[in-house]
Amino acid sequence: MTLKSLEAIIAEPSPENIRLAASLLKKDEVIGIPTETVYGLGGLISSELAISRIFSVKERPRFDPLIVHIPELAKPSLRWLSERKWIDIESIDKNAQASIEKLMHTFWPGPLTLVLPKHSRISDLVTSGLGSVALRMPSHPVFQALLNELNEGIAAPSANRFGRVSPVTAGDVKAELGTRIPMILEGGQSAIGVESTVIEYSLEKEFRLLRPGGLARERIEMILGRPLLHVESSSRPDRVLSPGMLDSHYAPEKQSIRLIRPIRALSDAELKWVVSHLKQLQPEMNRLSLLTPHGSNAEAASRLQTVSGLEIQRIELSLQASDLESARNLFAALREFDRSESTLLLIEPVEPLSGLFLAIDDRLKRASRPLPI
Ligand code: TXA
Ligand code: MG
């Protein structure tokens, strides 16, 4: 007899199921929870066992710290965060305090994560030993219902195996981690579709963009009244300020290659060079997917098909070239590519990098290798 492994139950977010989810968390379990950005793999920050389970379930290296999700409050203040023993308010410059509170009032609840000096009560397991903690107040009503039931912080990375595409539906979470967790709360497709924007108030008293995400950088800068410093990503774990910003991340399982210029800007000779390069990578290939982040790729696909003789599967993230729509479709499109018969993904570039296109470009770059053309 073979034993079938248990699979996560996808539970409708009824009051009884929210209570059930809360009781699982109190028993040190970790579960799938919907947010407006992507689905999270949540555990109570007070449970060391739950936090280590998050790392093992995700196969995530311990040096990569977690975001703490907090309950909604109409007018959150640093004083409140400090009374809840999440942050160390004394380490925050008085001038910066006003700016941080403006950001919280404008963008919380929502896709903004603030990295602030941590309270000593926050476990080093959550922050990977860093002196700061990442805090986010999610706006998804199911996550908030759960937080209200518990009145405690929930640490939650995206609910995917490390280095893989983030999940935007309960079904995606089940496909990633289904045999490793007991429950996933159903919350529909994530409305934003890319992870939160992470900014840090640093010891040098600067605001730095650690990860572009579901809240446009320009909107944050408007409120701050000055530009955010940008942190370049790195392939060296010891060099990164935000350890989740390693170069290779968000990758589909199959090969993906990105172009530096859109196909419409390539001459026939250049396009032929691209095709011969792709065929070198995959001599047996007979079908490839072409992903275009904004606008139609009908013409590009037909040129590519003529030059290559391959069948082209078209992926268009937003025909209207809307950054919001493109973000919402991004991870679903990468997953669909993985499930499709295409063996290679060719990605057209994003430009200009305004609004959420900055985050879309960031994720696509991490998901692929560049062709120098
Ligand atoms: O939208 C989101 O943020 C989702 C949902 C579930 O809320 N969560 C998410 O978590 O994307 P995760 O673990 O996949 O990404 C967290 C990012 C990583 O890049 C991590 O390195 C960074 O936040 N981070 C967390 N704590 C930090 C800290 N103390 N200092 C610097 N970076 C930190
Ligand atoms: Mg992640």
Side-chain angles (χ1 to χ4, degrees):
M1 189 182 79
T2 53
L3 282 174
K4 245 186 118 208
S5 52
L6 289 174
E7 283 235 29
I9 307 290
I10 296 182
E12 284 305 318
S14 61
E16 304 79 65
N17 282 342
I18 297 285
R19 279 195 293 276
L20 180 59
S23 71
L24 285 171
L25 290 174
K26 283 187 199 154
K27 287 182 202 134
D28 308 306
E29 289 287 351
V30 296
I31 62 169
I33 313 172
T35 92
E36 69 280 19
T37 56
V38 301
Y39 274 66
L41 173 68
L44 285 187
I45 59 168
S46 57
S47 163
E48 302 241 314
L49 180 54
I51 301 304
S52 36
R53 272 192 173 144
I54 289 177
F55 284 97
S56 55
V57 163
K58 250 191 92 102
E59 299 166 34
R60 177 176 174 124
R62 297 270 171 165
F63 63 71
D64 196 356
L66 307 176
I67 295 177
V68 175
H69 296 69
I70 60 173
E72 190 169 344
L73 190 73
K75 207 159 182 213
S77 65
L78 287 169
R79 177 73 37 214
W80 170 67
L81 294 180
S82 153
E83 281 164 9
R84 294 295 318 250
K85 300 193 167 46
W86 291 322
I87 65 160
D88 169 26
I89 195 171
E90 302 307 324
S91 308
I92 305 178
D93 184 82
K94 282 277 179 302
N95 292 326
Q97 291 194 8
S99 297
I100 296 168
E101 290 194 332
K102 253 203 276 181
L103 292 176
M104 297 190 319
H105 296 157
T106 315
F107 299 120
W108 277 4
L112 172 68
T113 295
L114 291 169
V115 174
L116 299 170
K118 85 174 186 85
H119 194 283
S120 54
R121 281 274 296 274
I122 296 266
S123 152
D124 278 342
L125 267 183
V126 173
T127 65
S128 302
L130 296 177
S132 57
V133 60
L135 293 175
R136 160 158 138 75
M137 189 184 281
S139 66
H140 198 292
V142 173
F143 208 133
Q144 280 302 336
L146 189 58
L147 284 163
N148 277 334
E149 187 73 30
L150 292 155
N151 194 29
E152 213 197 298
I154 294 179
S158 49
N160 50 281
R161 280 169 279 146
F162 185 69
R164 301 242 320 124
V165 176
S166 297
V168 291
T169 65
D172 292 346
V173 180
K174 191 160 174 167
E176 284 283 319
L177 307 173
T179 56
R180 305 177 185 185
I181 56 176
M183 183 196 228
I184 303 160
L185 281 171
E186 177 60 80
Q189 173 151 4
S190 296
I192 295 174
V194 290
E195 299 84 347
S196 61
T197 301
V198 181
I199 69 169
E200 177 186 43
Y201 168 73
S202 71
L203 290 176
E204 298 82 46
K205 310 200 185 328
E206 300 278 7
F207 288 98
R208 283 195 288 225
L209 177 64
L210 296 185
R211 176 178 73 183
L215 177 66
R217 167 188 197 155
E218 300 89 317
R219 294 187 59 198
I220 300 172
E221 292 176 337
M222 275 258 277
I223 298 299
L224 284 179
R226 60 185 148 130
L228 286 167
L229 300 182
H230 196 138
V231 178
E232 287 305 319
S233 70
S234 164
S235 45
R236 296 260 319 262
D238 53 332
R239 287 272 186 80
V240 282
L241 284 160
S242 186
M245 298 305 282
L246 296 179
D247 273 346
S248 168
H249 220 81
Y250 308 100
E253 283 174 351
K254 303 178 197 165
Q255 213 159 21
S256 41
I257 301 288
R258 68 177 184 275
L259 295 169
I260 305 297
R261 287 189 290 145
I263 287 178
R264 77 181 126 69
L266 302 182
S267 67
D268 285 345
E270 287 170 326
L271 191 57
K272 270 191 190 139
W273 183 87
V274 167
V275 166
S276 57
H277 191 86
L278 299 179
K279 286 191 169 167
Q280 224 174 43
L281 285 175
Q282 290 195 12
E284 307 291 305
M285 166 171 58
N286 46 36
R287 195 184 166 119
L288 92 84
S289 289
L290 175 67
L291 184 151
T292 302
H294 39 67
S296 161
N297 64 15
E299 233 171 86
S302 116
R303 276 186 76 204
L304 191 58
Q305 203 251 320
T306 308
V307 170
S308 67
L310 298 169
E311 199 181 320
I312 311 295
Q313 181 77 45
R314 287 164 52 199
I315 306 175
E316 296 158 321
L317 297 184
S318 172
L319 285 176
Q320 279 78 40
S322 140
D323 61 338
L324 297 176
E325 185 181 32
S326 184
R328 200 176 307 134
N329 289 330
L330 176 65
F331 290 143
L334 294 181
R335 272 175 199 280
E336 206 176 297
F337 160 66
D338 265 341
R339 286 192 301 265
S340 77
E341 278 165 30
S342 300
T343 48
L344 191 140
L345 180 65
L346 185 64
I347 299 173
E348 289 204 280
V350 183
E351 61 192 10
L353 296 181
S354 56
L356 300 198
F357 284 124
L358 185 66
I360 294 164
D361 176 65
D362 172 80
R363 306 305 189 268
L364 286 174
K365 281 188 174 143
R366 286 168 207 286
S368 60
R369 285 195 296 133
L371 259 195
I373 197 157

